[in-house]
Amino acid sequence: MTLAIEARDVVKTYGVGDAATQVLRGVDFRVKKGEFVFLAGPSGSGKTTLLSILGCVLTPTSGDVSLLGTRVSGRKESELPGLRVAYLGFIFQGHNLIASLTAAQNIALQLELRGHSPREAMKEAESLLDRVGLGDRTHHKPGELSGGQRQRVSVARALAGGPPIILADEPTASLDAQAGLLVTEMLREMAKERGHSVVVVTHDNRIYHLADRVVQIEDGTITGESS
Ligand SMILES: Nc1ncnc2c1ncn2[C@@H]1O[C@H](COP(=O)(O)OP(=O)(O)OP(=O)(O)O)[C@@H](O)[C@H]1O
Ligand SMILES: [Mg+2]
């Protein structure tokens, strides 16, 4: 069976010569299609670095990464944006929404990037906002929404256009317990419904019960997992 994500012996070194630091030391990491996986570990352990490599934002120093059976490591820098559009949706700690655009426009922009016409994109954006419980907030700008509402818009934007893989870097870090739980539950429910494979980086043990599997990383190495 084709895996959603297959990373083998991934090494990442930042800097060169005396300043070189090996931040990932031979990471093996797999995610099955439709799986909802958490990646947890101490600050500085390499979580964001690994997520950036899986997300075709950074290239590994060595090792192989495949998304849905397509090798994405060893590609030219200029090929990375195209791979991101084809395979990936992102959710960040700070919502990263565009402040001057409404919630619906933020999502529609993502859909236009994925080839929808402006009209289609707006219609789908409104339906996604409805799905995340923000049908009455489509014309609000990020500054006019609560933190939890902004993250729900971010979830809708990441899922817009149906990228097979969703990567989230500490999506609940800026939220209180209840809002964090609500956003993660919503992400899980929608991902399961639509067949997305998801990796969530988090140290938030209040939401661990929502994961199919929690993978631990320490000092650039996978040290264990629980399900
Ligand atoms: N661009 C960079 N250049 C040099 N070192 C870096 C760079 N980015 C990250 N690092 C180092 O790599 C290590 C891993 O960083 P990373 O951001 O992946 O950790 P993390 O697990 O996401 O931590 P946190 O939980 O604090 O977000 C850290 O020691 C960090 O200082
Ligand atoms: Mg990080």
Side-chain angles (χ1 to χ4, degrees), residues 16-222:
V16 288
D18 285 350
T21 339
Q22 201 178 64
V23 170
L24 296 178
R25 309 163 184 272
V27 167
D28 292 306
F29 182 75
R30 283 174 198 78
V31 175
K32 288 190 225 132
K33 280 188 193 162
E35 225 184 350
F36 195 74
V37 175
F38 285 8
L39 181 64
S43 181
S45 56
K47 303 181 298 296
T48 296
T49 303
L50 179 57
L51 209 69
S52 304
I53 289 172
L54 302 178
C56 303
V57 174
L58 284 178
T59 49
T61 307
S62 65
D64 285 319
V65 180
S66 294
L67 303 181
L68 281 321
T70 300
R71 188 159 182 250
V72 297
S73 50
R75 301 289 196 103
K76 283 188 268 181
E77 195 94 359
S78 60
E79 292 180 74
L80 299 183
L83 293 169
R84 291 198 291 271
V85 171
Y87 291 109
L88 297 152
F90 294 92
I91 305 166
F92 302 95
Q93 171 175 344
H95 52 83
N96 282 56
L97 299 168
I98 299 172
S100 59
L101 299 183
T102 65
Q105 287 167 337
N106 265 285
I107 298 168
L109 184 65
Q110 188 66 46
L111 285 158
E112 287 182 43
L113 205 63
R114 300 212 142 99
H116 290 57
S117 70
R119 197 193 155 91
E120 249 174 28
M122 192 45 78
K123 202 165 148 223
E124 175 65 8
E126 283 170 1
S127 123
L128 276 161
L129 281 171
D130 224 19
R131 177 62 187 77
V132 297
L134 295 173
D136 57 346
R137 294 286 188 280
T138 52
H139 301 303
H140 286 57
K141 292 181 178 169
E144 300 159 352
L145 297 170
S146 74
Q149 290 171 337
R150 284 198 285 265
Q151 278 308 52
R152 280 191 270 156
V153 177
S154 302
V155 167
R157 181 183 59 176
L159 272 55
I165 298 167
I166 308 293
L167 303 178
D169 198 353
E170 308 210 37
T172 66
S174 62
L175 304 179
D176 63 41
Q178 204 192 337
L181 194 59
L182 181 71
V183 165
T184 314
E185 278 171 350
M186 189 157 271
L187 173 60
R188 180 183 165 98
E189 203 177 291
M190 289 177 76
K192 291 288 176 188
E193 194 177 288
R194 293 156 189 246
H196 300 276
S197 312
V198 183
V199 181
V200 179
V201 164
T202 182
H203 350 241
D204 189 351
N205 56 19
R206 298 169 305 194
I207 58 172
Y208 281 5
H209 64 282
L210 293 172
D212 294 334
R213 202 150 57 85
V214 180
V215 175
Q216 296 287 340
I217 182 168
E218 281 171 51
D219 196 19
T221 311
I222 304 293

